Amino acid sequence: VLDDQVAWEEGTWHSSYEVVASQPFWVNQQKELDAAVLTVATDISPLKEYIYKKFLHSLIANGIKIFILAGFVFLMFQYLVTRHLEEIARQVSEQDITKPSEPIQLDRPKRYRGDELDQVVSDLNSMRQQAREALEMLSKNEERLLLFFDSTEEAIVGVDRMGNCSFVNDACMEMLGIYDIEKALGRPVSALFSHYELNTQNTNWGNRAIDVTLERGTIQHCENGYLALPSKKLIPVSLKSYPVFQEGEVSGAVAFIRDNSEKRELLHERELLSQAVEQSPVMIIIADQLSNIEYVNPGTVRWSGFSKQELLGNSLFSFVTISPEAEITVSELEEKLQSGQKWEGVIRTNSKWGASVALYCVISPVVDESGAIVNTIAVCKE
């Protein structure tokens, strides 16, 4: 550019793809007067196309290399890892901890021993061994539990969620009169027996206690009931029903049934004896091993004039004066009773009103199974 005019030009001008460089020129070395400016504009379109083609070539080439490398890595992983993992999975799927079997093994050169795959195999074998031991322990505990169930005197019956019998022990089979366990397992419990629940409010036939346990998941206890068998036989029993849970849901119940006919008979006899003692016209006094009065019947209260509260806790001999005809003192009487011998004779005592009362008494010690004296009973009549 000279005097604002282009003096010489060559090439095609393109404003989009260009590199422009300008160089000023001066007349003197002091750079005081501008003589001209040299401007060179270079078209870079061919370079751009070259770089673009080079980029595509590099991209495709590197992509193929990466693909080949990834394939090689995959094949190496398949050869070194995946096929062994598949072999481990195959052997694990064939493992049955209920039966003796060979441990998991990998067919590999020794130089690979001790790596991560070997650690996985070792851990799996350890887990398998622990599972095997746990199963054996569970089997032993199950055998012990079944042995305990079969050896107990209580009849035990297991009931599933549908009300069918899932387990019976020997005592239960004997109580139900069943001698083939297959005739009990899988059958509805209602077909084996019916529990007759008797209380002061109502009388219910059917297995209400077991049904409530299955429905509500609560423990049911009936001490006063009867077991009705298909043979029309009635057995006085106490029944306790416990729920069985699985994953938080009631999956069944276990019922413990005890024949308590002897207990009821004893309770009945005890009740009759208690009524007889309470209504007896004679004086009946029971003292502990220290001769302190524990019980007096209404006849004693009526003849002595003392209330029950005034008599309880006092010594049996605090109100006694032995008749001279008996030829024995109170201390001698105590020694005789402590030696396990009974005494009968006439004693004198004063009633609450001060009147002297002559009583014919039979005083006997009560001993336990070891022979130790636990009580003293005095039966007296005016």
Side-chain angles (χ1 to χ4, degrees):
V1 179
L2 182 62
D3 296 332
D4 295 330
Q5 297 294 325
V6 177
W8 181 79
E9 179 180 293
E10 183 181 349
T12 304
W13 183 269
H14 196 294
S15 59
S16 299
Y17 309 106
E18 64 178 15
V19 175
V20 179
S22 298
Q23 175 62 44
F25 292 90
W26 297 274
V27 175
N28 53 21
Q29 294 181 354
Q30 287 76 22
K31 300 181 180 180
E32 294 176 350
L33 297 174
D34 293 332
V37 176
L38 175 64
T39 300
V40 179
T42 306
D43 185 5
I44 63 171
S45 297
L47 181 61
K48 176 177 176 296
E49 293 178 0
Y50 171 78
I51 294 175
Y52 180 71
K53 291 178 180 180
K54 200 70 175 176
F55 169 75
L56 291 178
H57 180 269
S58 177
L59 182 63
I60 294 173
N62 289 334
I64 294 174
K65 292 178 182 178
I66 292 173
F67 177 79
I68 295 175
L69 180 62
F72 176 76
V73 171
F74 175 77
L75 292 176
M76 291 298 296
F77 188 84
Q78 172 71 21
Y79 177 76
L80 296 176
V81 180
T82 306
R83 67 187 183 97
H84 296 302
L85 292 177
E86 291 175 350
E87 177 64 18
I88 292 174
R90 185 189 64 79
Q91 294 188 45
V92 169
S93 64
E94 295 176 354
Q95 291 287 320
D96 185 359
I97 61 173
T98 61
K99 301 177 181 178
S101 58
E102 295 295 328
I104 300 173
Q105 295 180 350
L106 291 179
D107 185 14
R108 297 196 303 164
K110 293 184 178 180
R111 64 176 180 273
Y112 294 117
R113 301 292 173 85
D115 60 1
E116 290 79 1
L117 285 176
D118 265 8
Q119 186 64 41
V120 171
V121 171
S122 176
D123 292 342
L124 287 175
N125 286 329
S126 176
M127 292 171 60
R128 172 188 169 279
Q129 182 62 27
Q130 293 176 5
R132 175 73 180 171
E133 293 174 357
L135 180 64
E136 292 178 354
M137 183 62 67
L138 183 63
S139 300
K140 291 180 180 179
N141 291 336
E142 184 178 0
E143 292 177 1
R144 293 171 184 170
L145 185 61
L146 292 176
L147 181 61
F148 168 75
F149 282 166
D150 285 334
S151 62
T152 183
E153 296 181 355
E154 281 187 310
I156 304 175
V157 55
V159 186
D160 62 18
R161 192 66 182 86
M162 304 303 295
N164 298 322
C165 176
S166 59
F167 169 81
V168 286
N169 67 338
D170 292 344
C172 184
M173 293 179 62
E174 183 178 355
M175 179 181 290
L176 299 179
I178 299 175
Y179 302 99
D180 185 2
I181 193 172
E182 298 300 329
K183 294 182 179 180
L185 298 179
R187 295 186 61 190
V189 174
S190 57
L192 302 177
F193 62 84
S194 182
H195 181 244
Y196 173 52
E197 185 178 352
L198 179 65
N199 53 45
T200 57
Q201 297 180 352
N202 54 24
T203 301
N204 294 317
W205 282 97
N207 299 308
R208 179 177 177 275
I210 297 177
D211 294 339
V212 172
T213 297
L214 292 174
E215 293 174 2
R216 303 178 184 176
T218 57
I219 300 174
Q220 298 295 312
H221 181 204
C222 175
E223 190 68 28
N224 187 20
Y226 292 89
L227 208 66
L229 305 183
S231 61
K232 307 301 181 182
K233 180 181 178 181
L234 286 179
I235 305 175
V237 297
S238 65
L239 185 145
K240 293 181 180 180
S241 179
Y242 297 88
V244 177
F245 294 94
Q246 185 174 5
E247 296 181 356
E249 299 292 335
V250 178
S251 60
V254 177
F256 294 81
I257 307 171
R258 180 184 292 274
D259 185 345
N260 62 355
S261 54
E262 293 184 3
K263 179 181 178 181
R264 291 193 193 181
E265 185 176 352
L266 290 174
L267 290 175
H268 181 63
E269 292 179 357
R270 179 180 177 184
E271 184 178 354
L272 291 177
L273 181 60
S274 176
Q275 292 177 2
V277 170
E278 289 290 322
Q279 298 175 12
S280 175
V282 301
M283 301 170 62
I284 300 176
I285 304 172
I286 301 176
D288 59 17
Q289 65 269 28
L290 299 177
S291 299
N292 296 321
I293 298 175
E294 288 185 328
Y295 169 81
V296 292
N297 71 333
T300 304
V301 176
R302 182 169 60 254
W303 283 106
S304 69
F306 292 99
S307 67
K308 183 181 290 188
Q309 288 72 23
E310 291 174 321
L311 293 172
L312 295 180
N314 291 301
S315 173
L316 175 63
F317 304 103
S318 61
F319 303 96
V320 173
T321 301
I322 304 296
S323 173
E325 295 84 0
E327 298 180 354
I328 192 171
T329 64
V330 173
S331 60
E332 292 173 342
L333 174 59
E334 291 188 69
E335 291 179 3
K336 187 171 185 177
L337 293 173
Q338 289 297 326
S339 66
Q341 305 177 52
K342 76 173 183 177
W343 177 87
E344 49 184 304
V346 178
I347 65 172
R348 290 187 178 276
T349 184
N350 294 325
S351 68
K352 187 175 182 180
W353 306 286
S356 178
V357 182
L359 302 173
Y360 180 78
C361 297
V362 177
I363 306 176
S364 305
V366 179
V367 298
D368 59 13
E369 296 179 353
S370 63
I373 297 176
V374 293
N375 288 104
T376 302
I377 299 180
V379 181
C380 308
K381 185 177 182 181
E382 186 184 19

